[in-house]
Amino acid sequence: MSKVTSLIFRSLIVVVLISAIGGLLGWYFFLHSRTSDTQAEDVGRGLGDSVPSFTGSIGNTFQNVLSSITGSEPPQPKASGGAVSQLWHVTLNPVAGADFVQTREGERLYFVERATGNVFSANTHTGLIERLTNTLMPKIYEAAFTTDGAIVQRSIDPKGRATTFIGTITLAPPSPDDEATSTLGSLEGSFLNPGVTTYAINPKKREYFYIMNDAERGAIGIKSAWDGSGQKRLFQSGLTQWRAQWLSDGRIIVTQKAADNVPGYSYSVSAGSSPAPVLRDIPGLTILPKASSQTILYGTSAGGSLALFSKTGSDDPLSLPLKTFADKCVWLPDTAKSATPMKAAGTTSKKSPAVVMVPVAYCAVPQTLGVGDFLNNWYAGRIHTADNWWRINAADGTTQMLYPLDGVDVVDPAINDDGTMITFRDRNDGSLWLLQLPFKEPTKQTATSASSTL
Amino acid sequence: MTRLSIGVRALLSATIALIALCAATPALAQYGDLNLETNAVWITLDPLYPHPGEAVHLKVESPLLDLSTMQITWSVGETVLAQGKGLVDVDFKADALGTDTTLTMTAASASSSVTKTVRVVPTDIDLLYESDSYVPPFFLGRALPFAGSHIIVQAIPRFVRPDGSLVPSDSIKFTWRLNGVTMNALSGKGKSFATFPAPTLFGTNTISLEASTEDGIHKGTATMNISSGKPYVALYVDHPLFGVLYDQSLSSDTALPGSETTFLAVPYYSNVSDPRGEPLRYDWRVDGKTFTPEQSAQNEATIHPDIANQRTTIGLDLTHDENPFLSLTGEWNVTLSGNSSSASGESSDPFHQQ
């Protein structure tokens, strides 16, 4: 091979080598930049984060997830013996449902975490919150408790159908290790068939009532023991859109779902008899019947305005000076410490007059309502209200503001048997609140300028 | 004057007298001193089928008798409600359900009297309705009708017998009418609920019902007007932990934490049972550009803005393949703040709408 050819050949090899190295380097840097982008994206989605522990002092979703987003401190358990404030923000975590439960240790506030379905217990005196269960049931939309702690949880299946779980909380047996603190229990139960549109729980014992769609009849209402036995059909209707309430006196009330300006009807249902009307042909009807009483609190929505009434038996309704609706109200139980007796009307015997308790209700009243169809928009989450708590004497219509809330849109209120506390959720974020009610009978004042207006 | 003409005159006079006597006799026989129930009078009720406790106005009329000159007495059994000369009107309060009251009207003059009775059996009919239009699970409000959907109506009659028992619905004949037209296919014995088409766009349907027992003793009517609802599309966050946040519909301007977010569109009051796909057609837009979601459910879309804290405009046009009246549009401005490192420390709650 001549020198020229050899030189050319060597030059070509060098060029090829340099080109190859340059190309490889370029490819390397190109891939590296893309990898960095992907890694940044993955980190943003949580790659590399340590697996959250659910065995913290609260062990809930807020502590492990939300606190890293908001940077806010989770609600701290109060020291033993410490008192909670009159208005206690129990948890910032979205809650599916809450109620007062009687336990061996006394009354507790049970609530269900929406994200996990885990059940928590809050000591309303010390502020201590404990997790009771470890059964993961994600995305719980509704939850309710019996007075002894059995549970209903509702969610949505992949087909978009509502599911209904009826169960009990099984606490784990105590650990033989004396140094162990608490052990978590589990939820045990079963699912009802899909198609349950509404349900109600017997406040006295473990029974439930539900209405489900029926292809032939429209809807049927069935009462059942907690284990599913003893089922009885109480109700049948061509219509499917009902809400149900079970009162402590045993009455089950079904009421058409409300819509502004649309007439609604409410009936009492029982086995073997036709539905007995409670209220009829009332626009935008929402209703709160009182147990062991003929008194009813009900709201109307018509012409862009809400109105609240109380009615006892066949008497004419009494218009109340507050613009709210029955969903935001609870009755003071007759067994409450602050319940006061009043003489019943029509008493004939002066020696032994019949005594009934003054019907007192507590209602969250929006400070302003805005314009337009309130109920339709509120139910759809298109509007939120900022409420204050009011006390209403349903017998004479006097009212008094009890407690101003700061931007809370009250939903699902519940009152304890003593009538000393109300729990409710904030519809803005699903968080749970507890309000301690004043024990002393407040001075009667009639709401005038303090009442909410459109 | 001849004997013949006198005789003719006498005969003619006798004939006239005889004719007059014959003509008078039937009238005297009809309106003699006897008391009769007669179809020459009738009594109207307003309302025709009163509810319990409702005020009922009764009126007696007659094309043959001059009632204004007659002494009229209204009574229930032995009890006189009202009486007076020419008293053709009276008000009466219907009793409770289960009562069967017979009112008697007696119109009397010096030479005649006529009696008529009318039976008042109070009834009640509740007329309830709802629509099969779409609302999401756990929605506490009632679905409203819109063109293309249906109205389901249920009648709950309260026909109470004197013994207090209720006449069962399957023993009652129901006659349904839509805008005055009798719906024979929906009517019949025991047909206490019926399905009607929803009103047309911006329209109102009048649904009326007449119910009666076979013996005709219990009868009642009810009527209602149903207006068309206004469908709309609402947008919610479908949170990976909490599910769809149905309590917090997105407003026109919303700030949300996080970067990648899935949104769910809910077409309220549309005539579908499942909003996730056909016959609904969802045309999504992001910042004006057509956006095709990756989800199989057409009513869901996951948005992942390239830049944190960027205001993104989500648009949606919703149509129905078989219902040209259903055409919905929505637009929402959403600012996704990005990941936790870029989240504003001032935010105290990630779910507050701002």
Side-chain angles (χ1 to χ4, degrees):
Chain A
M1 185 189 294
S2 65
K3 280 188 181 177
V4 174
T5 306
S6 174
L7 185 61
I8 292 171
F9 184 68
R10 286 180 195 158
S11 301
L12 278 174
I13 291 173
V14 170
V15 168
V16 167
L17 281 174
I18 292 171
S19 299
I21 291 168
L24 286 172
L25 280 173
W27 183 243
Y28 168 77
F29 284 114
F30 172 76
L31 286 179
H32 183 74
S33 68
R34 286 291 181 266
T35 304
S36 297
D37 288 346
T38 306
Q39 281 180 344
E41 232 174 87
D42 289 343
V43 167
R45 293 177 182 180
L47 177 69
D49 288 350
S50 56
V51 176
S53 162
F54 279 81
T55 57
S57 59
I58 299 177
N60 63 10
T61 306
F62 183 92
Q63 185 178 31
N64 294 297
V65 178
L66 295 182
S67 58
S68 65
I69 297 174
T70 67
S72 302
E73 289 295 321
Q76 298 297 320
K78 300 293 188 292
S80 178
V84 301
S85 54
Q86 185 179 7
L87 182 66
W88 178 29
H89 202 172
V90 178
T91 173
L92 296 175
N93 209 7
V95 164
D99 209 341
F100 298 96
V101 172
Q102 302 302 324
T103 70
R104 272 179 275 182
E105 291 80 29
E107 182 180 83
R108 294 289 183 267
L109 176 63
Y110 277 21
F111 61 92
V112 172
E113 193 175 71
R114 176 161 172 166
T116 61
N118 288 331
V119 181
F120 290 80
S121 168
N123 186 318
T124 57
H125 299 290
T126 64
L128 186 67
I129 298 176
E130 298 176 297
R131 188 152 76 111
L132 298 182
T133 66
N134 199 26
T135 304
L136 180 64
M137 297 184 73
K139 300 181 185 179
I140 300 300
Y141 288 79
E142 287 182 357
F145 296 92
T146 61
T147 51
D148 62 351
I151 189 168
V152 176
Q153 290 191 355
R154 304 195 76 203
S155 186
I156 299 175
D157 69 9
K159 294 183 181 178
R161 301 174 302 181
T163 64
T164 307
F165 174 82
I166 307 287
T168 53
I169 299 170
T170 302
L171 295 176
S175 168
D177 185 352
D178 290 338
E179 292 182 358
T181 53
S182 63
T183 53
L184 295 173
S186 61
L187 289 178
E188 294 183 0
S190 59
F191 284 88
L192 299 181
N193 289 331
V196 171
T197 57
T198 190
Y199 71 97
I201 292 177
N202 187 341
K204 291 273 190 166
K205 58 180 180 177
R206 289 190 179 186
E207 287 180 320
Y208 59 90
F209 168 81
Y210 64 95
I211 296 177
M212 63 181 298
N213 293 336
D214 181 271
E216 290 182 4
R217 300 174 187 85
I220 51 176
I222 295 174
K223 184 178 86 168
S224 171
W226 209 256
D227 60 2
S229 64
Q231 297 204 347
K232 287 182 187 174
R233 181 180 297 179
L234 303 185
F235 176 67
Q236 179 178 312
S237 171
L239 307 180
T240 60
Q241 297 168 30
W242 298 92
R243 297 176 69 178
Q245 295 161 296
W246 198 323
L247 307 180
S248 59
D249 59 14
R251 286 182 292 158
I252 297 174
I253 309 294
V254 294
T255 307
Q256 282 191 285
K257 289 184 174 179
D260 303 281
N261 307 303
V262 175
Y265 291 76
S266 181
Y267 299 91
S268 174
V269 298
S270 57
S273 30
S274 301
V278 174
L279 287 174
R280 302 162 57 220
D281 195 15
I282 293 178
L285 173 66
T286 56
I287 184 174
L288 185 69
K290 188 174 188 298
S292 305
S293 168
Q294 293 186 51
T295 303
I296 301 168
L297 198 70
Y298 69 94
T300 67
S301 178
S305 179
L306 297 184
L308 192 67
F309 300 86
S310 68
K311 187 175 189 304
T312 301
S314 57
D315 295 346
D316 289 336
L318 174 66
S319 175
L320 301 171
L322 296 173
K323 292 189 186 297
T324 186
F325 55 108
D327 292 15
K328 286 181 179 281
C329 298
V330 289
W331 283 110
L332 179 69
D334 285 348
T335 53
K337 295 175 187 175
S338 57
T340 53
M342 73 176 189
K343 192 171 175 182
T347 304
T348 55
S349 169
K350 290 183 182 177
K351 290 183 180 179
S352 56
V355 176
V356 295
M357 295 301 175
V358 173
V360 171
Y362 296 100
C363 291
V365 181
Q367 295 172 25
T368 57
L369 289 175
V371 294
D373 292 338
F374 177 84
L375 283 183
N376 297 347
N377 288 321
W378 191 82
Y379 286 137
R382 299 175 90 193
I383 56 175
H384 291 272
T385 58
D387 300 339
N388 294 327
W389 277 104
W390 286 73
R391 181 185 181 277
I392 300 169
N393 183 323
D396 59 18
T398 54
T399 60
Q400 182 178 19
M401 190 169 83
L402 270 186
Y403 202 98
L405 299 174
D406 182 18
V408 176
D409 183 3
V410 170
V411 67
D412 293 336
I415 192 168
N416 64 345
D417 289 342
D418 284 345
T420 54
M421 294 181 230
I422 294 177
T423 185
F424 53 94
R425 293 187 300 117
D426 182 357
R427 209 152 183 266
N428 288 299
D429 56 15
S431 63
L432 186 66
W433 294 80
L434 182 79
L435 174 68
Q436 306 220 32
L437 298 171
F439 173 74
K440 196 173 179 182
E441 188 83 354
T443 306
K444 289 181 183 178
Q445 290 179 12
T446 303
T448 50
S449 60
S451 62
S452 60
T453 56
L454 280 175
Chain B
M1 192 182 294
T2 62
R3 189 177 297 174
L4 182 63
S5 62
I6 294 172
V8 169
R9 283 179 190 164
L11 184 61
L12 189 60
S13 300
T15 304
I16 291 172
L18 183 64
I19 291 172
L21 182 63
C22 291
T25 304
L28 286 173
Q30 185 176 6
Y31 300 111
D33 292 330
L34 299 176
N35 292 331
L36 297 171
E37 283 192 40
T38 171
N39 291 329
V41 295
W42 58 80
I43 300 174
T44 57
L45 280 77
D46 182 23
L48 183 59
Y49 307 120
H51 302 303
E54 190 173 17
V56 184
H57 183 74
L58 294 97
K59 184 173 183 179
V60 59
E61 296 172 284
S62 172
L64 296 177
L65 301 178
D66 184 3
L67 296 173
S68 63
T69 62
M70 302 179 81
Q71 183 69 16
I72 299 175
T73 303
W74 298 88
S75 59
V76 175
E78 301 294 326
T79 306
V80 173
L81 287 178
Q83 62 181 19
K85 185 178 179 182
L87 187 66
V88 298
D89 298 273
V90 72
D91 289 321
F92 166 75
K93 188 176 177 183
D95 285 328
L97 290 173
T99 57
D100 186 345
T101 307
T102 300
L103 284 95
T104 304
M105 186 286 308
T106 303
S109 67
S111 55
S112 64
S113 71
V114 61
T115 301
K116 192 76 174 178
T117 60
V118 65
R119 201 171 176 182
V120 177
V121 180
T123 57
D124 251 339
I125 300 181
D126 292 343
L127 214 52
L128 292 69
Y129 84 90
E130 65 186 30
S131 173
D132 62 356
S133 63
Y134 180 78
V135 289
F138 309 121
F139 182 65
L140 294 178
R142 199 182 316 178
L144 299 179
F146 182 70
S149 65
H150 301 90
I151 300 171
I152 300 96
V153 185
Q154 174 163 13
I156 299 182
R158 272 187 299 284
F159 291 179
V160 181
R161 302 187 185 97
D163 62 4
S165 62
L166 270 175
V167 178
S169 290
D170 52 14
S171 299
I172 298 172
K173 182 187 173 188
F174 297 89
T175 304
W176 294 96
R177 293 187 179 86
L178 174 63
N179 298 325
V181 177
T182 301
M183 312 297 284
N184 292 315
L186 302 177
S187 305
K189 191 175 175 183
K191 294 199 173 180
S192 62
F193 70 91
T195 302
F196 298 91
T200 54
L201 198 62
F202 307 121
T204 299
N205 277 354
T206 299
I207 294 174
S208 55
L209 168 73
E210 191 174 303
S212 63
T213 49
E214 281 186 302
D215 56 16
I217 294 176
H218 293 87
K219 288 184 181 178
T221 59
T223 300
M224 63 179 173
N225 297 315
I226 302 172
S227 298
S228 176
K230 294 176 188 175
Y232 63 92
V233 59
L235 198 67
Y236 302 93
V237 169
D238 187 355
H239 197 279
L241 290 176
F242 307 115
V244 181
L245 303 181
Y246 286 117
D247 286 347
Q248 296 129 41
S249 172
L250 265 65
S251 60
S252 57
D253 234 304
T254 306
L256 295 172
S259 53
E260 185 177 281
T261 303
T262 300
F263 298 93
L264 180 84
V266 175
Y268 281 86
Y269 315 137
S270 57
N271 57 315
V272 292
S273 55
D274 186 344
R276 292 179 293 175
E278 293 179 357
L280 292 180
R281 195 170 297 277
Y282 296 81
D283 294 315
W284 293 89
R285 298 184 307 281
V286 174
D287 292 332
K289 298 175 187 172
T290 300
F291 174 76
T292 303
E294 297 173 352
Q295 285 87 346
S296 58
Q298 293 186 36
N299 63 334
E300 279 201 289
T302 300
I303 309 295
H304 180 82
D306 296 328
I307 305 172
N309 285 315
Q310 175 179 301
R311 193 168 183 254
T312 304
T313 301
I314 302 172
L316 176 62
D317 294 322
L318 178 61
T319 53
H320 191 296
D321 287 345
E322 297 157 15
N323 183 2
F325 296 115
L326 187 68
S327 176
L328 307 174
T329 299
E331 193 165 280
W332 303 268
N333 296 308
V334 178
T335 302
L336 295 175
S337 59
N339 58 24
S340 58
S341 60
S342 60
S344 168
E346 295 175 355
S347 170
S348 62
D349 190 309
F351 304 104
H352 269 137
Q353 307 297 321
Q354 296 177 13

